[in-house]
Amino acid sequence: MPILSATNSRRQAPVDFLPLQGTDYVEFYVGNAKQAAHFYKTAFGFQSLAYAGPETGSKDKVSYVVRQNKLTFIFTTSLRTGNLIADHTYLHGDGVKVLALRVDDANSAWKETTQRGGRSYMEPTTLVDKFGEVVLSGIHAYGETVHVFVERKNYAGVFMPGYREWTTRYNPPETGLLYVDHCVGNVGWNQMDPWVRFYEQVMGFRNILSFDDNDISTEYSALMSKVMSNGNGYVKFPINEPAEGKKKSQVEEYLEFYNGEGVQHVAIATKDIISTVTQLRDRGVEFLQVPDSYYNDLRDRVGHIDENLDPLKELGILVDRDEEGYLLQIFTRPVEDRPTLFFEIIQRKGAKSFGKGNFKALFEAIEREQSARGNL
Ligand code: FE2
């Protein structure tokens, strides 16, 4: 059928209606932004970048922006009660509010996503100062988390209009953290598939990997996880949902203490995980520990790796493999008093996805801590 084959030969890959250039920043709503910024500088090696507050015309809130390579974090605190930021902190404790994504056209990003059913958080808004303009827009995601689209191609200032440069004499060295690898969301019972559909339909993501409760279960608890990725793979958002087990799962513990759905962990890439984790540990970052037995059959499970086992074992770094290579990863303990948000440090050596072997080791480590908190 010549007509059909002619049609086929002209068929193009579907156009990515939401081209993303990566994560622009992660904004945390916290109880005390000044001290949070100090902690991330001291413990993680972030550098002071920008500040907004009453002195820059922001009457009711302050924000400190810190950066390390392509990783930008904002810590924001309300100066008063009775507003959305104060309410967020009261309800959730310190946590992630904004996963901001870099785009070429924030107007188009807003139009394409809201047309597909995304609920608007911020209509396209142009911010201007003497360094140029930044266009922001945004949509709601799970819980109170939002995605802000950031168009900054016409901006030459230090961060964005409304902020001034933040310089200080206190500049601890960096620790080799490079960029956001992925951000994981915890959602409620039966909510994983609706959020998978949201990322597929509203944002054009694909489900690249799924783990069910047979893959991810321990003696006591279980969860399900689906990994969503945008077209170029720069942005990955795995979604976790609790599953029935003998006891309360770690996702349920999170939902209880966060008072709802939210970001469970932010994974940060490094080129040298042994060096990065050694420095983080020396600077007070606490990591989950895996039992020594995890390393006994490691080479049988993952095959050849370039690293010596001793430092991996000493630091508690996990190793896993997908079809394309392997990855090294480790998880911090929660970084606030509520058992909610934590970080992952990850080094990819060929692997672009995730293996399932580490999940069990991770969850058993979390459960030991959950049990110590009396929440298992
Ligand atoms: Fe992760």
mmCIF file with all atom_site columns, all heavy atoms in Angstrom, residues 29 78 80-93 97 144 258-259 338:
data_model
loop_
_atom_site.group_PDB
_atom_site.id
_atom_site.type_symbol
_atom_site.label_atom_id
_atom_site.label_alt_id
_atom_site.label_comp_id
_atom_site.label_asym_id
_atom_site.label_entity_id
_atom_site.label_seq_id
_atom_site.pdbx_PDB_ins_code
_atom_site.Cartn_x
_atom_site.Cartn_y
_atom_site.Cartn_z
_atom_site.occupancy
_atom_site.B_iso_or_equiv
_atom_site.pdbx_formal_charge
_atom_site.auth_seq_id
_atom_site.auth_comp_id
_atom_site.auth_asym_id
_atom_site.auth_atom_id
_atom_site.pdbx_PDB_model_num
ATOM 1   N N   . TYR A 1 29  ? 9.988  25.728 51.934 1.00 0.00 ? 29  TYR A N   1
ATOM 2   C CA  . TYR A 1 29  ? 9.374  26.584 52.948 1.00 0.00 ? 29  TYR A CA  1
ATOM 3   C C   . TYR A 1 29  ? 9.816  26.044 54.305 1.00 0.00 ? 29  TYR A C   1
ATOM 4   O O   . TYR A 1 29  ? 9.595  24.858 54.607 1.00 0.00 ? 29  TYR A O   1
ATOM 5   C CB  . TYR A 1 29  ? 7.843  26.545 52.844 1.00 0.00 ? 29  TYR A CB  1
ATOM 6   C CG  . TYR A 1 29  ? 7.256  27.393 51.731 1.00 0.00 ? 29  TYR A CG  1
ATOM 7   C CD1 . TYR A 1 29  ? 5.879  27.419 51.523 1.00 0.00 ? 29  TYR A CD1 1
ATOM 8   C CD2 . TYR A 1 29  ? 8.057  28.178 50.900 1.00 0.00 ? 29  TYR A CD2 1
ATOM 9   C CE1 . TYR A 1 29  ? 5.310  28.193 50.519 1.00 0.00 ? 29  TYR A CE1 1
ATOM 10  C CE2 . TYR A 1 29  ? 7.496  28.950 49.895 1.00 0.00 ? 29  TYR A CE2 1
ATOM 11  C CZ  . TYR A 1 29  ? 6.126  28.950 49.704 1.00 0.00 ? 29  TYR A CZ  1
ATOM 12  O OH  . TYR A 1 29  ? 5.564  29.712 48.712 1.00 0.00 ? 29  TYR A OH  1
ATOM 13  N N   . SER A 1 78  ? 8.151  32.809 56.222 1.00 0.00 ? 78  SER A N   1
ATOM 14  C CA  . SER A 1 78  ? 7.228  33.922 56.393 1.00 0.00 ? 78  SER A CA  1
ATOM 15  C C   . SER A 1 78  ? 7.635  34.740 57.613 1.00 0.00 ? 78  SER A C   1
ATOM 16  O O   . SER A 1 78  ? 8.075  34.194 58.622 1.00 0.00 ? 78  SER A O   1
ATOM 17  C CB  . SER A 1 78  ? 5.814  33.386 56.600 1.00 0.00 ? 78  SER A CB  1
ATOM 18  O OG  . SER A 1 78  ? 4.963  34.457 56.927 1.00 0.00 ? 78  SER A OG  1
ATOM 19  N N   . ARG A 1 80  ? 5.449  36.670 59.064 1.00 0.00 ? 80  ARG A N   1
ATOM 20  C CA  . ARG A 1 80  ? 4.212  36.861 59.820 1.00 0.00 ? 80  ARG A CA  1
ATOM 21  C C   . ARG A 1 80  ? 3.376  35.584 59.795 1.00 0.00 ? 80  ARG A C   1
ATOM 22  O O   . ARG A 1 80  ? 3.636  34.693 59.000 1.00 0.00 ? 80  ARG A O   1
ATOM 23  C CB  . ARG A 1 80  ? 3.384  37.997 59.195 1.00 0.00 ? 80  ARG A CB  1
ATOM 24  C CG  . ARG A 1 80  ? 4.101  39.328 59.181 1.00 0.00 ? 80  ARG A CG  1
ATOM 25  C CD  . ARG A 1 80  ? 3.363  40.328 58.302 1.00 0.00 ? 80  ARG A CD  1
ATOM 26  N NE  . ARG A 1 80  ? 4.171  41.516 58.086 1.00 0.00 ? 80  ARG A NE  1
ATOM 27  C CZ  . ARG A 1 80  ? 4.280  42.519 58.956 1.00 0.00 ? 80  ARG A CZ  1
ATOM 28  N NH1 . ARG A 1 80  ? 3.632  42.479 60.092 1.00 0.00 ? 80  ARG A NH1 1
ATOM 29  N NH2 . ARG A 1 80  ? 5.053  43.556 58.672 1.00 0.00 ? 80  ARG A NH2 1
ATOM 30  N N   . THR A 1 81  ? 2.361  35.542 60.643 1.00 0.00 ? 81  THR A N   1
ATOM 31  C CA  . THR A 1 81  ? 1.430  34.410 60.615 1.00 0.00 ? 81  THR A CA  1
ATOM 32  C C   . THR A 1 81  ? 0.251  34.741 59.701 1.00 0.00 ? 81  THR A C   1
ATOM 33  O O   . THR A 1 81  ? 0.098  35.885 59.262 1.00 0.00 ? 81  THR A O   1
ATOM 34  C CB  . THR A 1 81  ? 0.883  34.110 62.015 1.00 0.00 ? 81  THR A CB  1
ATOM 35  O OG1 . THR A 1 81  ? 0.365  35.327 62.566 1.00 0.00 ? 81  THR A OG1 1
ATOM 36  C CG2 . THR A 1 81  ? 1.953  33.571 62.916 1.00 0.00 ? 81  THR A CG2 1
ATOM 37  N N   . GLY A 1 82  ? -0.561 33.724 59.437 1.00 0.00 ? 82  GLY A N   1
ATOM 38  C CA  . GLY A 1 82  ? -1.790 33.968 58.689 1.00 0.00 ? 82  GLY A CA  1
ATOM 39  C C   . GLY A 1 82  ? -1.578 34.181 57.208 1.00 0.00 ? 82  GLY A C   1
ATOM 40  O O   . GLY A 1 82  ? -2.227 35.026 56.594 1.00 0.00 ? 82  GLY A O   1
ATOM 41  N N   . ASN A 1 83  ? -0.643 33.452 56.604 1.00 0.00 ? 83  ASN A N   1
ATOM 42  C CA  . ASN A 1 83  ? -0.483 33.498 55.147 1.00 0.00 ? 83  ASN A CA  1
ATOM 43  C C   . ASN A 1 83  ? -0.095 32.097 54.674 1.00 0.00 ? 83  ASN A C   1
ATOM 44  O O   . ASN A 1 83  ? 0.127  31.190 55.479 1.00 0.00 ? 83  ASN A O   1
ATOM 45  C CB  . ASN A 1 83  ? 0.556  34.547 54.732 1.00 0.00 ? 83  ASN A CB  1
ATOM 46  C CG  . ASN A 1 83  ? 1.907  34.256 55.358 1.00 0.00 ? 83  ASN A CG  1
ATOM 47  O OD1 . ASN A 1 83  ? 2.477  33.189 55.137 1.00 0.00 ? 83  ASN A OD1 1
ATOM 48  N ND2 . ASN A 1 83  ? 2.416  35.184 56.171 1.00 0.00 ? 83  ASN A ND2 1
ATOM 49  N N   . LEU A 1 84  ? -0.008 31.933 53.350 1.00 0.00 ? 84  LEU A N   1
ATOM 50  C CA  . LEU A 1 84  ? 0.178  30.589 52.801 1.00 0.00 ? 84  LEU A CA  1
ATOM 51  C C   . LEU A 1 84  ? 1.508  29.965 53.213 1.00 0.00 ? 84  LEU A C   1
ATOM 52  O O   . LEU A 1 84  ? 1.601  28.751 53.417 1.00 0.00 ? 84  LEU A O   1
ATOM 53  C CB  . LEU A 1 84  ? 0.078  30.645 51.265 1.00 0.00 ? 84  LEU A CB  1
ATOM 54  C CG  . LEU A 1 84  ? -1.313 30.970 50.708 1.00 0.00 ? 84  LEU A CG  1
ATOM 55  C CD1 . LEU A 1 84  ? -1.257 31.156 49.204 1.00 0.00 ? 84  LEU A CD1 1
ATOM 56  C CD2 . LEU A 1 84  ? -2.302 29.857 51.073 1.00 0.00 ? 84  LEU A CD2 1
ATOM 57  N N   . ILE A 1 85  ? 2.539  30.801 53.326 1.00 0.00 ? 85  ILE A N   1
ATOM 58  C CA  . ILE A 1 85  ? 3.861  30.242 53.683 1.00 0.00 ? 85  ILE A CA  1
ATOM 59  C C   . ILE A 1 85  ? 3.848  29.791 55.144 1.00 0.00 ? 85  ILE A C   1
ATOM 60  O O   . ILE A 1 85  ? 4.285  28.678 55.477 1.00 0.00 ? 85  ILE A O   1
ATOM 61  C CB  . ILE A 1 85  ? 4.969  31.280 53.437 1.00 0.00 ? 85  ILE A CB  1
ATOM 62  C CG1 . ILE A 1 85  ? 5.032  31.643 51.953 1.00 0.00 ? 85  ILE A CG1 1
ATOM 63  C CG2 . ILE A 1 85  ? 6.318  30.755 53.919 1.00 0.00 ? 85  ILE A CG2 1
ATOM 64  C CD1 . ILE A 1 85  ? 5.915  32.835 51.645 1.00 0.00 ? 85  ILE A CD1 1
ATOM 65  N N   . ALA A 1 86  ? 3.319  30.657 56.020 1.00 0.00 ? 86  ALA A N   1
ATOM 66  C CA  . ALA A 1 86  ? 3.264  30.300 57.443 1.00 0.00 ? 86  ALA A CA  1
ATOM 67  C C   . ALA A 1 86  ? 2.394  29.059 57.647 1.00 0.00 ? 86  ALA A C   1
ATOM 68  O O   . ALA A 1 86  ? 2.739  28.154 58.413 1.00 0.00 ? 86  ALA A O   1
ATOM 69  C CB  . ALA A 1 86  ? 2.717  31.478 58.245 1.00 0.00 ? 86  ALA A CB  1
ATOM 70  N N   . ASP A 1 87  ? 1.264  29.007 56.947 1.00 0.00 ? 87  ASP A N   1
ATOM 71  C CA  . ASP A 1 87  ? 0.370  27.849 57.079 1.00 0.00 ? 87  ASP A CA  1
ATOM 72  C C   . ASP A 1 87  ? 1.049  26.570 56.593 1.00 0.00 ? 87  ASP A C   1
ATOM 73  O O   . ASP A 1 87  ? 0.893  25.502 57.175 1.00 0.00 ? 87  ASP A O   1
ATOM 74  C CB  . ASP A 1 87  ? -0.918 28.073 56.269 1.00 0.00 ? 87  ASP A CB  1
ATOM 75  C CG  . ASP A 1 87  ? -1.778 29.189 56.871 1.00 0.00 ? 87  ASP A CG  1
ATOM 76  O OD1 . ASP A 1 87  ? -1.462 29.653 57.989 1.00 0.00 ? 87  ASP A OD1 1
ATOM 77  O OD2 . ASP A 1 87  ? -2.753 29.604 56.208 1.00 0.00 ? 87  ASP A OD2 1
ATOM 78  N N   . HIS A 1 88  ? 1.799  26.690 55.500 1.00 0.00 ? 88  HIS A N   1
ATOM 79  C CA  . HIS A 1 88  ? 2.510  25.534 54.937 1.00 0.00 ? 88  HIS A CA  1
ATOM 80  C C   . HIS A 1 88  ? 3.506  24.988 55.949 1.00 0.00 ? 88  HIS A C   1
ATOM 81  O O   . HIS A 1 88  ? 3.586  23.771 56.183 1.00 0.00 ? 88  HIS A O   1
ATOM 82  C CB  . HIS A 1 88  ? 3.231  25.981 53.653 1.00 0.00 ? 88  HIS A CB  1
ATOM 83  C CG  . HIS A 1 88  ? 3.725  24.866 52.786 1.00 0.00 ? 88  HIS A CG  1
ATOM 84  N ND1 . HIS A 1 88  ? 4.880  24.161 53.061 1.00 0.00 ? 88  HIS A ND1 1
ATOM 85  C CD2 . HIS A 1 88  ? 3.238  24.333 51.640 1.00 0.00 ? 88  HIS A CD2 1
ATOM 86  C CE1 . HIS A 1 88  ? 5.077  23.250 52.108 1.00 0.00 ? 88  HIS A CE1 1
ATOM 87  N NE2 . HIS A 1 88  ? 4.088  23.334 51.242 1.00 0.00 ? 88  HIS A NE2 1
ATOM 88  N N   . THR A 1 89  ? 4.242  25.872 56.571 1.00 0.00 ? 89  THR A N   1
ATOM 89  C CA  . THR A 1 89  ? 5.252  25.440 57.538 1.00 0.00 ? 89  THR A CA  1
ATOM 90  C C   . THR A 1 89  ? 4.594  24.835 58.775 1.00 0.00 ? 89  THR A C   1
ATOM 91  O O   . THR A 1 89  ? 5.061  23.839 59.327 1.00 0.00 ? 89  THR A O   1
ATOM 92  C CB  . THR A 1 89  ? 6.139  26.632 57.942 1.00 0.00 ? 89  THR A CB  1
ATOM 93  O OG1 . THR A 1 89  ? 6.569  27.307 56.758 1.00 0.00 ? 89  THR A OG1 1
ATOM 94  C CG2 . THR A 1 89  ? 7.365  26.180 58.707 1.00 0.00 ? 89  THR A CG2 1
ATOM 95  N N   . TYR A 1 90  ? 3.492  25.435 59.198 1.00 0.00 ? 90  TYR A N   1
ATOM 96  C CA  . TYR A 1 90  ? 2.773  24.908 60.376 1.00 0.00 ? 90  TYR A CA  1
ATOM 97  C C   . TYR A 1 90  ? 2.286  23.489 60.109 1.00 0.00 ? 90  TYR A C   1
ATOM 98  O O   . TYR A 1 90  ? 2.432  22.589 60.929 1.00 0.00 ? 90  TYR A O   1
ATOM 99  C CB  . TYR A 1 90  ? 1.585  25.819 60.702 1.00 0.00 ? 90  TYR A CB  1
ATOM 100 C CG  . TYR A 1 90  ? 0.743  25.318 61.845 1.00 0.00 ? 90  TYR A CG  1
ATOM 101 C CD1 . TYR A 1 90  ? 1.198  25.393 63.155 1.00 0.00 ? 90  TYR A CD1 1
ATOM 102 C CD2 . TYR A 1 90  ? -0.495 24.732 61.602 1.00 0.00 ? 90  TYR A CD2 1
ATOM 103 C CE1 . TYR A 1 90  ? 0.440  24.902 64.210 1.00 0.00 ? 90  TYR A CE1 1
ATOM 104 C CE2 . TYR A 1 90  ? -1.260 24.239 62.654 1.00 0.00 ? 90  TYR A CE2 1
ATOM 105 C CZ  . TYR A 1 90  ? -0.794 24.329 63.953 1.00 0.00 ? 90  TYR A CZ  1
ATOM 106 O OH  . TYR A 1 90  ? -1.543 23.841 64.979 1.00 0.00 ? 90  TYR A OH  1
ATOM 107 N N   . LEU A 1 91  ? 1.717  23.294 58.933 1.00 0.00 ? 91  LEU A N   1
ATOM 108 C CA  . LEU A 1 91  ? 1.120  22.006 58.585 1.00 0.00 ? 91  LEU A CA  1
ATOM 109 C C   . LEU A 1 91  ? 2.169  20.930 58.292 1.00 0.00 ? 91  LEU A C   1
ATOM 110 O O   . LEU A 1 91  ? 2.083  19.806 58.769 1.00 0.00 ? 91  LEU A O   1
ATOM 111 C CB  . LEU A 1 91  ? 0.224  22.199 57.352 1.00 0.00 ? 91  LEU A CB  1
ATOM 112 C CG  . LEU A 1 91  ? -0.768 21.096 57.015 1.00 0.00 ? 91  LEU A CG  1
ATOM 113 C CD1 . LEU A 1 91  ? -1.768 20.922 58.150 1.00 0.00 ? 91  LEU A CD1 1
ATOM 114 C CD2 . LEU A 1 91  ? -1.507 21.442 55.715 1.00 0.00 ? 91  LEU A CD2 1
ATOM 115 N N   . HIS A 1 92  ? 3.168  21.287 57.494 1.00 0.00 ? 92  HIS A N   1
ATOM 116 C CA  . HIS A 1 92  ? 4.085  20.274 56.957 1.00 0.00 ? 92  HIS A CA  1
ATOM 117 C C   . HIS A 1 92  ? 5.447  20.243 57.640 1.00 0.00 ? 92  HIS A C   1
ATOM 118 O O   . HIS A 1 92  ? 6.230  19.332 57.389 1.00 0.00 ? 92  HIS A O   1
ATOM 119 C CB  . HIS A 1 92  ? 4.322  20.516 55.463 1.00 0.00 ? 92  HIS A CB  1
ATOM 120 C CG  . HIS A 1 92  ? 3.064  20.567 54.643 1.00 0.00 ? 92  HIS A CG  1
ATOM 121 N ND1 . HIS A 1 92  ? 2.206  19.495 54.537 1.00 0.00 ? 92  HIS A ND1 1
ATOM 122 C CD2 . HIS A 1 92  ? 2.499  21.553 53.902 1.00 0.00 ? 92  HIS A CD2 1
ATOM 123 C CE1 . HIS A 1 92  ? 1.180  19.820 53.759 1.00 0.00 ? 92  HIS A CE1 1
ATOM 124 N NE2 . HIS A 1 92  ? 1.330  21.072 53.369 1.00 0.00 ? 92  HIS A NE2 1
ATOM 125 N N   . GLY A 1 93  ? 5.759  21.248 58.447 1.00 0.00 ? 93  GLY A N   1
ATOM 126 C CA  . GLY A 1 93  ? 7.149  21.387 58.878 1.00 0.00 ? 93  GLY A CA  1
ATOM 127 C C   . GLY A 1 93  ? 7.975  21.886 57.705 1.00 0.00 ? 93  GLY A C   1
ATOM 128 O O   . GLY A 1 93  ? 7.426  22.336 56.691 1.00 0.00 ? 93  GLY A O   1
ATOM 129 N N   . LYS A 1 97  ? 8.407  23.147 48.607 1.00 0.00 ? 97  LYS A N   1
ATOM 130 C CA  . LYS A 1 97  ? 7.204  23.746 48.028 1.00 0.00 ? 97  LYS A CA  1
ATOM 131 C C   . LYS A 1 97  ? 7.262  23.741 46.504 1.00 0.00 ? 97  LYS A C   1
ATOM 132 O O   . LYS A 1 97  ? 6.281  23.436 45.840 1.00 0.00 ? 97  LYS A O   1
ATOM 133 C CB  . LYS A 1 97  ? 7.059  25.189 48.530 1.00 0.00 ? 97  LYS A CB  1
ATOM 134 C CG  . LYS A 1 97  ? 5.913  25.959 47.888 1.00 0.00 ? 97  LYS A CG  1
ATOM 135 C CD  . LYS A 1 97  ? 4.576  25.344 48.252 1.00 0.00 ? 97  LYS A CD  1
ATOM 136 C CE  . LYS A 1 97  ? 3.409  26.083 47.613 1.00 0.00 ? 97  LYS A CE  1
ATOM 137 N NZ  . LYS A 1 97  ? 2.133  25.440 47.965 1.00 0.00 ? 97  LYS A NZ  1
ATOM 138 N N   . GLU A 1 144 ? 0.663  19.938 48.273 1.00 0.00 ? 144 GLU A N   1
ATOM 139 C CA  . GLU A 1 144 ? 0.781  21.385 48.075 1.00 0.00 ? 144 GLU A CA  1
ATOM 140 C C   . GLU A 1 144 ? 2.016  21.736 47.258 1.00 0.00 ? 144 GLU A C   1
ATOM 141 O O   . GLU A 1 144 ? 2.433  22.891 47.202 1.00 0.00 ? 144 GLU A O   1
ATOM 142 C CB  . GLU A 1 144 ? 0.836  22.093 49.431 1.00 0.00 ? 144 GLU A CB  1
ATOM 143 C CG  . GLU A 1 144 ? -0.493 22.078 50.164 1.00 0.00 ? 144 GLU A CG  1
ATOM 144 C CD  . GLU A 1 144 ? -0.563 23.192 51.189 1.00 0.00 ? 144 GLU A CD  1
ATOM 145 O OE1 . GLU A 1 144 ? -0.857 24.342 50.822 1.00 0.00 ? 144 GLU A OE1 1
ATOM 146 O OE2 . GLU A 1 144 ? -0.296 22.900 52.373 1.00 0.00 ? 144 GLU A OE2 1
ATOM 147 N N   . TYR A 1 258 ? 4.018  14.565 57.473 1.00 0.00 ? 258 TYR A N   1
ATOM 148 C CA  . TYR A 1 258 ? 3.993  15.725 56.571 1.00 0.00 ? 258 TYR A CA  1
ATOM 149 C C   . TYR A 1 258 ? 2.568  16.259 56.454 1.00 0.00 ? 258 TYR A C   1
ATOM 150 O O   . TYR A 1 258 ? 2.356  17.320 55.888 1.00 0.00 ? 258 TYR A O   1
ATOM 151 C CB  . TYR A 1 258 ? 4.540  15.321 55.188 1.00 0.00 ? 258 TYR A CB  1
ATOM 152 C CG  . TYR A 1 258 ? 4.952  16.505 54.335 1.00 0.00 ? 258 TYR A CG  1
ATOM 153 C CD1 . TYR A 1 258 ? 6.089  17.250 54.651 1.00 0.00 ? 258 TYR A CD1 1
ATOM 154 C CD2 . TYR A 1 258 ? 4.211  16.883 53.218 1.00 0.00 ? 258 TYR A CD2 1
ATOM 155 C CE1 . TYR A 1 258 ? 6.463  18.341 53.889 1.00 0.00 ? 258 TYR A CE1 1
ATOM 156 C CE2 . TYR A 1 258 ? 4.582  17.972 52.447 1.00 0.00 ? 258 TYR A CE2 1
ATOM 157 C CZ  . TYR A 1 258 ? 5.706  18.689 52.789 1.00 0.00 ? 258 TYR A CZ  1
ATOM 158 O OH  . TYR A 1 258 ? 6.075  19.770 52.026 1.00 0.00 ? 258 TYR A OH  1
ATOM 159 N N   . ASN A 1 259 ? 1.617  15.519 56.990 1.00 0.00 ? 259 ASN A N   1
ATOM 160 C CA  . ASN A 1 259 ? 0.204  15.890 56.859 1.00 0.00 ? 259 ASN A CA  1
ATOM 161 C C   . ASN A 1 259 ? -0.235 15.935 55.407 1.00 0.00 ? 259 ASN A C   1
ATOM 162 O O   . ASN A 1 259 ? -0.952 16.846 54.985 1.00 0.00 ? 259 ASN A O   1
ATOM 163 C CB  . ASN A 1 259 ? -0.084 17.241 57.515 1.00 0.00 ? 259 ASN A CB  1
ATOM 164 C CG  . ASN A 1 259 ? -0.347 17.103 58.987 1.00 0.00 ? 259 ASN A CG  1
ATOM 165 O OD1 . ASN A 1 259 ? -1.168 16.284 59.389 1.00 0.00 ? 259 ASN A OD1 1
ATOM 166 N ND2 . ASN A 1 259 ? 0.368  17.872 59.788 1.00 0.00 ? 259 ASN A ND2 1
ATOM 167 N N   . ARG A 1 338 ? 10.951 16.112 61.821 1.00 0.00 ? 338 ARG A N   1
ATOM 168 C CA  . ARG A 1 338 ? 9.897  15.205 61.344 1.00 0.00 ? 338 ARG A CA  1
ATOM 169 C C   . ARG A 1 338 ? 10.532 14.176 60.404 1.00 0.00 ? 338 ARG A C   1
ATOM 170 O O   . ARG A 1 338 ? 11.421 14.523 59.633 1.00 0.00 ? 338 ARG A O   1
ATOM 171 C CB  . ARG A 1 338 ? 8.823  15.982 60.565 1.00 0.00 ? 338 ARG A CB  1
ATOM 172 C CG  . ARG A 1 338 ? 8.077  17.007 61.401 1.00 0.00 ? 338 ARG A CG  1
ATOM 173 C CD  . ARG A 1 338 ? 6.847  17.499 60.654 1.00 0.00 ? 338 ARG A CD  1
ATOM 174 N NE  . ARG A 1 338 ? 6.348  18.747 61.216 1.00 0.00 ? 338 ARG A NE  1
ATOM 175 C CZ  . ARG A 1 338 ? 5.133  19.234 60.989 1.00 0.00 ? 338 ARG A CZ  1
ATOM 176 N NH1 . ARG A 1 338 ? 4.292  18.589 60.188 1.00 0.00 ? 338 ARG A NH1 1
ATOM 177 N NH2 . ARG A 1 338 ? 4.758  20.378 61.516 1.00 0.00 ? 338 ARG A NH2 1
#
